[in-house]
Amino acid sequence: MKFLALLCGIALLTAPLCAQTSKPGTLSGRVSDREGKPLPNAAVVAGNRNTLANEDGRYSLELPAGPQTVVVRSVGFLNDTLKVVISPGKTEFRDVRLRLDRALLQTAEVVGERNPVQGGVELKAKALEYQTGPLSGVEGLIRTLPGVAASSELSSQYNVRGGNFDENLVYINGVEVYRPFLARAGEQEGQSVLNPDMVDRIYFSAGGFEAAYGDRMSSVLDIGYRVPDSLRIKTEVSLLGGSVTLDALSPNKKFKSITGARYRTNQILIGSLDTDADFRPRYFDLQTALTYTLSSEWRLDFIGQWAENRYDVVPSTRTTDFGNIQEALRLTVFFDGMESYTYSTLFGALNAVHQPDANTELSYGVSAFRTLEEEYFDVIGAYRLGELELNLGSDDFGEIKVERGAGAFQNYGRNRLDAFILAAEHKGRKSYENHTLSWGLKAQGEDIIDRYKEWERIDSAGYSIPHNPSLTPPGTLPTTPGPAPALFESFASGARISSVRLSGFVQDSRSWRLKAGGLFGLSAGIRFNTWSLNGQTVVSPRVGVSYRPDWEQDHLFRFSTGLYQQPPFYREMRDLEGGVNEDIKAQSSLHLIAGHEYRLRMWGRPFKWVTEAYYKAMWNLIPYEIDNVRIRYSAQNEATGYAAGFDTRLNGEFVPGIDSWASLGILTVQEDIEGDGAGYIPRPTDRRVNFALYFQDYLPNDPTFRVSMTLVFNTGQPFGPPQSERKDQIFRIPNYRRFDIGFIKVLKESGKKGKIGLFKSFDSAWIGLEVFNLLEIRNTVSYLWIRDISTSNQYAVPNYLTNRVVNLKLSLAI
């Protein structure tokens, strides 16, 4: 009996200990890259247990007590293995920093979504220089994504789901940047503000984006510049210009900098246009991004840019053939005069980042933006319009057989805009066990001085248009003084606008597993914007949900909605006559977006198929006209509208190891202008079908020989004669079709041993041959309108874009 009692006592004493050892523990931490940037959706795997890191890189995984082997992996990074001992009922903390997998083929690839709830596409810019096209770089990639369309290879601007250029947000390192205000043609615009050699990450959302982003109605492009981890110099030269990029850091690695200088000349592109002229395009910019670590909790970030884009042209002659096989016409213009366009930009932002603990990040920043833009032109053109001989048996085939008309025109302008924008901003983010809270507050002051003076005179067969019969007829001498000839268009105005904007947001994102199975995500936020000039305050709630079921195949369903209200900037305030409406209100839209993502395998390789359907209800719209890349607003909130459509994209490894994709979008965007009696009519950005293919390949036996191809097809957008009402602008520009191809020979690949003696000392080296517009399709960007008073006809003469052009490119890095 005593022995039995002893056994029972031992059992009672050891029972709690046995229960304690069987109790599981938790492994928590944060997954980031070598520079501390979070890696969302990083996989943490231990045997048959796994979890994904949230948008801040935080993870938490429940594991049995005892020694465990944990593997952490993320796309584009080398796997890391942890050996940990899990204590019962306790939490072990392990932060993981993954190294980039530099052995991967260096190409831009789609790596996933930063926030599965909100959608969008995140691109990892490993080597944007491998992309082919006149607009190689970030915007060139963005144009191949679903929902995006563009009408000119000379401009970096793009339309998203029926919106115009001014409805797109662009950020660099969290700071909003701006495009030129006055540019009216792509060749005047110069270089993009985004330096592709400095880019590390690219996030793009075509709608339904979260409240943390600003107040625009169409899209957001968020760019992050690279933080160097070693000393590196890269240079690139081509027939279009050159660039130099320097990565540097101090011996203790507390100070890191990346600096890029670019020079570009579009001489070979502009030289393929119809106009014979002395072109002098000169585009230069200098950018730098600096990081200084003050302590384990404080860091200073600075980004600065200076850009000088100048475009001078002395036109001589222009010859354009247009029409069809029934009626072929030729316009010949003889010019006298000069055009000069200058866009100077200075931008800087300083940010202090405080991280008191691993779950908290606070930032305090100031930024300043200054642009000085000048447009000076005085050009006289004398033209003749003739009908071509189409009889193949005629000795004069292809020559003018009948003169249709003759005349002259004069365009004069002296426009100057000086804008200064100063902003102060605070942002914060706090991560909890299963959700993340974000907030922000921004104050912005604006001072804009504008002088607008331009006029156009048209003379056809001796008559000024608009024609005044009371003037002296041609061929006779005046007997008494009469009124001066009328100008076709004349604008003269000046304005100075000073105002203050205050905006802010708060947002919460969380995810949890449902008892019924599957992972559910929710992101909800609200932002506000108030403007001192018109006294209006707008409030925009936004919410998104996602659900990833526990199916054998990987599917994700997503829905987002919210208000996207765009307070006017200076462009929207200036009307067609140059006047400024200070009482104009914000344009508003309600987004409804439903999406589906399916990850699959074909040919034994990973693919992803994403489809989204959307509807945007819009009100308080400001009607506008588009001529090339120039947008002219009515400066009145006098329209309602809607946009509806769907986008789909299939991307993956069509060729092993390299990502390519195809995108298709179908949409319609309509507006109803008050008082015109026309009902709903297409907006100027109504491009019904958009298709793009971005494809990369290499020789199977020698991957150093590569090819990059970009194919774009966009249906035409509406247009109409000058001074016509919007309801009468029912014609369509021909479809935009373009195919660019590049052939690359890699002479030395980064991270690999070189085989060519001359390039062994380089980190990377390659040479490329690019053929722009391989099929030699003459796309139309706008029209020159010619009038013939004898027949009262108007002729729309197409302004063609670039012809086939060959470019050579060399890239070296040490």
Side-chain angles (χ1 to χ4, degrees):
M1 284 296 289
K2 293 182 179 180
F3 180 72
L4 180 60
L6 180 62
L7 288 178
C8 291
I10 294 175
L12 290 173
L13 290 173
T14 58
L17 296 177
C18 295
Q20 187 177 12
T21 56
S22 63
K23 188 176 182 180
T26 303
L27 178 67
S28 296
R30 183 172 182 265
V31 184
S32 63
D33 62 12
R34 293 299 297 270
E35 303 304 326
K37 296 179 181 178
L39 296 178
N41 297 325
V44 183
V45 182
N48 60 353
R49 298 177 181 240
N50 62 83
T51 188
L52 296 177
N54 65 14
E55 62 181 24
D56 296 314
R58 307 296 305 179
Y59 73 91
S60 181
L61 181 64
E62 188 178 88
L63 295 173
Q68 299 288 342
T69 300
V70 181
V71 178
V72 183
R73 57 175 179 256
S74 182
V75 177
F77 293 83
L78 296 172
N79 295 349
D80 195 4
T81 301
L82 305 178
K83 299 290 187 179
V84 296
V85 178
I86 301 298
S87 301
K90 295 185 178 180
T91 299
E92 295 289 334
F93 293 94
R94 292 290 189 275
D95 290 344
V96 181
R97 292 198 172 192
L98 300 182
R99 286 178 170 270
L100 276 173
D101 187 356
R102 299 188 181 276
L104 292 177
L105 286 172
Q106 295 192 3
T107 179
E109 67 177 73
V110 178
V111 299
E113 288 72 36
R114 179 168 56 175
N115 188 341
V117 175
Q118 297 294 338
V121 178
E122 189 166 8
L123 305 176
K124 195 69 177 180
K126 294 182 180 177
L128 279 170
E129 66 268 27
Y130 282 178
Q131 186 204 359
T132 295
L135 194 66
S136 60
V138 176
E139 292 88 348
L141 278 182
I142 296 301
R143 292 180 179 204
T144 65
L145 296 179
V148 183
S151 57
S152 172
E153 62 271 12
L154 294 174
S155 170
S156 61
Q157 306 307 320
Y158 50 87
N159 309 114
V160 180
R161 290 179 175 173
N164 67 35
F165 314 138
D166 294 332
E167 297 174 12
N168 301 322
L169 279 165
V170 180
Y171 293 90
I172 300 179
N173 288 0
V175 182
E176 185 177 357
V177 295
Y178 304 89
R179 76 181 189 94
F181 290 83
L182 298 182
R184 61 185 67 205
E187 55 267 30
Q188 303 166 9
E189 189 179 295
Q191 297 188 104
S192 161
V193 66
L194 307 176
N195 187 332
D197 294 327
M198 299 173 65
V199 170
D200 176 61
R201 57 173 177 81
I202 306 168
Y203 173 76
F204 177 76
S205 174
F209 44 89
E210 56 196 32
Y213 291 113
D215 302 282
R216 300 289 176 94
M217 295 197 300
S218 288
S219 74
V220 59
L221 174 61
D222 190 0
I223 300 297
Y225 276 174
R226 185 172 64 254
V227 178
D229 57 5
S230 62
L231 179 64
R232 189 171 188 264
I233 301 176
K234 177 187 174 184
T235 182
E236 182 179 292
V237 293
S238 75
L239 298 181
L240 291 173
S243 65
V244 177
T245 307
L246 171 65
D247 292 14
L249 65 165
S250 63
N252 60 8
K253 297 187 177 181
K254 287 189 174 182
F255 176 77
K256 301 179 180 181
S257 70
I258 178 171
T259 303
R262 294 181 296 167
Y263 174 78
R264 182 178 174 94
T265 171
N266 286 340
Q267 192 76 43
I268 62 171
L269 294 172
I270 300 173
S272 69
L273 303 177
D274 286 343
T275 300
D276 183 14
D278 179 13
F279 296 106
R280 304 168 194 166
R282 300 183 298 278
Y283 316 128
F284 178 81
D285 91 326
L286 178 67
Q287 296 189 41
T288 186
L290 313 176
T291 297
Y292 184 72
T293 302
L294 298 172
S295 67
S296 60
E297 295 185 1
W298 284 94
R299 184 183 79 244
L300 288 178
D301 296 332
F302 174 79
I303 180 172
Q305 184 216 22
W306 171 70
E308 181 84 9
N309 296 321
R310 186 177 180 89
Y311 176 74
D312 297 333
V313 56
V314 181
S316 177
T317 61
R318 166 181 172 172
T319 302
T320 302
D321 294 340
F322 63 102
N324 50 49
I325 58 175
Q326 283 81 28
E327 183 183 44
L329 303 175
R330 174 175 293 164
L331 173 71
T332 303
V333 186
F334 301 92
F335 294 101
D336 184 23
M338 180 178 178
E339 303 175 42
S340 180
Y341 305 91
T342 304
Y343 308 97
S344 301
T345 301
L346 189 63
F347 165 73
L350 178 65
N351 202 33
V353 181
H354 183 208
Q355 292 180 302
D357 56 63
N359 299 319
T360 306
E361 182 174 287
L362 306 172
S363 66
Y364 310 88
V366 293
S367 62
F369 172 84
R370 169 77 184 277
T371 181
L372 180 60
E373 304 178 13
E374 297 176 333
E375 296 183 329
Y376 297 155
F377 54 89
D378 188 359
V379 177
I380 298 174
Y383 67 86
R384 65 173 185 172
L385 183 67
E387 182 178 345
L388 299 180
E389 176 61 69
L390 298 180
N391 184 0
L392 294 174
S394 173
D395 293 337
D396 296 325
F397 175 75
E399 301 297 328
I400 294 178
K401 68 174 183 178
V402 177
E403 291 284 352
R404 286 286 190 91
F409 59 85
Q410 182 176 5
N411 293 321
Y412 176 92
R414 294 291 185 271
N415 302 324
R416 190 177 189 272
L417 184 140
D418 187 352
F420 179 70
I421 301 172
L422 181 66
E425 185 174 15
H426 163 65
K427 289 182 180 179
R429 183 170 58 189
K430 178 73 173 178
S431 296
Y432 298 91
E433 185 175 353
N434 62 347
H435 71 104
T436 300
L437 181 66
S438 304
W439 66 91
L441 186 65
K442 179 180 180 180
Q444 177 171 298
E446 303 163 2
D447 186 26
I448 300 175
I449 304 173
D450 180 32
R451 185 188 70 186
Y452 179 46
K453 181 177 179 61
E454 62 180 67
W455 50 263
E456 179 180 8
R457 182 171 65 90
I458 297 178
D459 185 303
S460 181
Y463 291 90
S464 286
I465 298 176
H467 176 52
N468 187 344
S470 66
L471 298 180
T472 304
T476 63
L477 296 175
T479 56
T480 58
L487 297 173
F488 178 65
E489 285 185 327
S490 179
F491 311 110
S493 67
R496 178 167 187 169
I497 303 295
S498 298
S499 63
V500 175
R501 302 177 193 261
L502 184 65
S503 61
F505 74 93
V506 61
Q507 172 183 299
D508 188 63
S509 302
R510 60 181 62 212
S511 61
W512 61 91
R513 297 200 64 83
L514 301 179
K515 292 183 179 180
L519 185 65
F520 184 82
L522 171 67
S523 178
I526 189 169
R527 66 176 297 111
F528 78 94
N529 188 301
T530 184
W531 192 24
S532 65
L533 192 66
N534 62 6
Q536 184 186 23
T537 299
V538 294
V539 179
S540 305
R542 301 170 187 176
V543 63
V545 295
S546 67
Y547 175 63
R548 188 186 297 273
D550 290 333
W551 295 348
E552 182 177 346
Q553 296 179 325
D554 191 351
H555 292 265
L556 175 69
F557 300 92
R558 187 166 44 233
F559 176 79
S560 60
T561 184
L563 291 179
Y564 295 81
Q565 306 187 80
Q566 182 170 327
F569 209 66
Y570 183 71
R571 264 189 297 264
E572 294 97 315
M573 298 169 60
R574 193 171 80 171
D575 62 24
L576 300 177
E577 306 295 327
V580 176
N581 179 9
E582 297 186 6
D583 296 323
I584 196 168
K585 303 300 182 182
Q587 302 180 90
S588 302
S589 66
L590 171 65
H591 289 199
L592 299 169
I593 302 173
H596 170 250
E597 174 189 311
Y598 174 37
R599 295 177 183 266
L600 67 157
R601 297 189 69 84
M602 295 190 298
W603 308 300
R605 298 188 291 272
F607 284 82
K608 183 168 65 174
W609 183 14
V610 180
T611 301
E612 287 190 343
Y614 58 90
Y615 179 83
K616 297 192 290 186
M618 299 178 286
W619 60 97
N620 283 339
L621 293 179
I622 307 171
Y624 58 87
E625 301 174 358
I626 296 181
D627 181 16
N628 203 315
V629 299
R630 185 189 192 191
I631 302 177
R632 301 177 64 190
Y633 291 90
S634 70
Q636 298 292 330
N637 300 103
E638 55 182 354
T640 58
Y642 68 89
F646 83 93
D647 301 326
T648 186
R649 172 176 53 86
L650 177 66
N651 75 276
E653 297 182 10
F654 292 90
V655 176
I658 297 183
D659 210 53
S660 302
W661 59 84
S663 305
L664 173 66
I666 298 177
L667 68 87
T668 181
V669 54
Q670 306 278 320
E671 67 180 354
D672 183 5
I673 303 176
E674 297 176 4
D676 68 352
Y680 280 96
I681 58 175
R683 300 202 86 191
T685 51
D686 184 57
R687 293 180 175 273
R688 299 296 174 88
V689 180
N690 305 297
F691 174 80
L693 174 66
Y694 179 63
F695 186 78
Q696 302 173 93
D697 200 355
Y698 58 86
L699 292 180
N701 296 328
D702 188 356
T704 63
F705 284 95
R706 304 176 184 177
V707 63
S708 174
M709 296 178 287
T710 303
L711 174 67
V712 176
F713 172 84
N714 300 320
T715 54
Q717 62 192 46
F719 78 100
Q723 295 188 342
S724 63
E725 295 187 24
R726 276 281 297 115
K727 65 179 181 180
D728 297 325
Q729 297 174 6
I730 58 175
F731 305 106
R732 292 265 177 176
I733 290 178
N735 300 334
Y736 182 85
R737 300 159 294 164
R738 187 173 183 87
F739 179 53
D740 300 317
I741 188 169
F743 304 94
I744 300 107
K745 169 60 179 176
V746 179
L747 305 172
K748 168 68 170 62
E749 191 165 353
S750 179
K752 293 186 178 182
K753 187 177 181 180
K755 298 181 180 180
I756 304 176
L758 181 63
F759 300 100
K760 285 183 178 181
S761 59
F762 290 92
D763 178 61
S764 67
W766 59 269
I767 189 170
L769 172 68
E770 299 177 314
V771 183
F772 305 149
N773 195 7
L774 178 66
L775 303 181
E776 205 169 5
I777 298 172
R778 303 304 305 276
N779 292 303
T780 300
V781 67
S782 61
Y783 287 90
L784 172 66
W785 290 85
I786 298 298
R787 295 169 178 260
D788 181 4
I789 198 170
S790 62
T791 62
S792 300
N793 288 334
Q794 290 189 88
Y795 298 93
V797 183
N799 293 318
Y800 291 122
L801 286 166
T802 59
N803 213 324
R804 182 190 295 143
V805 174
V806 176
N807 183 40
L808 293 174
K809 186 183 292 186
L810 173 66
S811 177
L812 301 172
I814 57 175

